[in-house]
Amino acid sequence: MKINKLYYLIICVFIAFSCQDEQKKVEVPPADEVKNMDKISNSSLIHNPVTADEVIRPEDAAKIQFEETSFDFGDLVDGDIAEHVFTFKNVGASPLIISHAKAGCGCTVPQWPRSPILPGESNEIKVVYNSKGKKGVQNKTVTVTANTVPNETTIEIKANVLEN
């Protein structure tokens, strides 16, 4: 019986270590070794899979500017589905590419543009919130990942969910 438990333990440990993802490590030189900080690699700075490997100056990167980064739905009744559109503009010098928008939980679903947004153009991210099973004051975030500096921007929705 003890041998079976030992084999089981060994198998569990083996599975746990073999299932870990290998993360790509990016080597960053020490600050005293960096001679030319006016140009840096877009992909090594941003760690974003949709960016190019070309050398880009941070001031030439895409920049996302939201009209608002927070919206309060006010009072909702348990089970209400509410949505809000966050409007943004690319105020940078390069096309803006949003690679992902991720909500903190399954009750919040973002929808974002998949095509590049040219400098000076505006677009929208729609956030749909399902209040079912949520009661009281709710604060939900959506993290927008793009080829910007920094590469993540957070927007949020708030609501006070009342019992039905």
Side-chain angles (χ1 to χ4, degrees), residues 36-164:
N36 189 4
M37 282 303 287
D38 63 334
K39 290 187 176 185
I40 46 183
S41 170
N42 196 15
S43 63
S44 65
L45 173 69
I46 299 175
H47 307 293
N48 188 332
V50 298
T51 58
D53 264 335
E54 67 211 34
V55 174
I56 187 170
R57 296 180 327 170
E59 58 269 16
D60 292 336
K63 293 182 179 118
I64 191 168
Q65 183 179 59
F66 283 92
E67 287 182 4
E68 60 185 343
T69 56
S70 181
F71 182 78
D72 191 342
F73 288 113
D75 290 341
L76 298 175
V77 176
D78 182 17
D80 283 350
I81 296 177
E83 62 181 57
H84 181 70
V85 174
F86 288 90
T87 302
F88 65 89
K89 184 175 185 177
N90 178 2
V91 295
S94 297
L96 172 66
I97 301 169
I98 298 175
S99 62
H100 195 66
K102 182 179 181 186
C105 72
C107 62
T108 307
V109 179
Q111 298 170 356
W112 67 95
R114 303 301 203 257
S115 57
I117 295 93
L118 297 177
E121 287 186 351
S122 295
N123 213 311
E124 303 172 335
I125 295 177
K126 182 166 89 170
V127 178
V128 179
Y129 173 66
N130 185 347
S131 68
K132 184 173 177 77
K134 309 290 183 191
K135 295 195 178 41
V137 176
Q138 302 293 312
N139 293 304
K140 305 297 178 183
T141 60
V142 174
T143 302
V144 179
T145 305
N147 61 334
T148 56
V149 179
N151 72 316
E152 291 185 342
T153 305
T154 302
I155 54 178
E156 69 176 343
I157 57 169
K158 301 174 184 179
N160 182 33
V161 181
L162 307 172
E163 288 191 42
N164 195 357

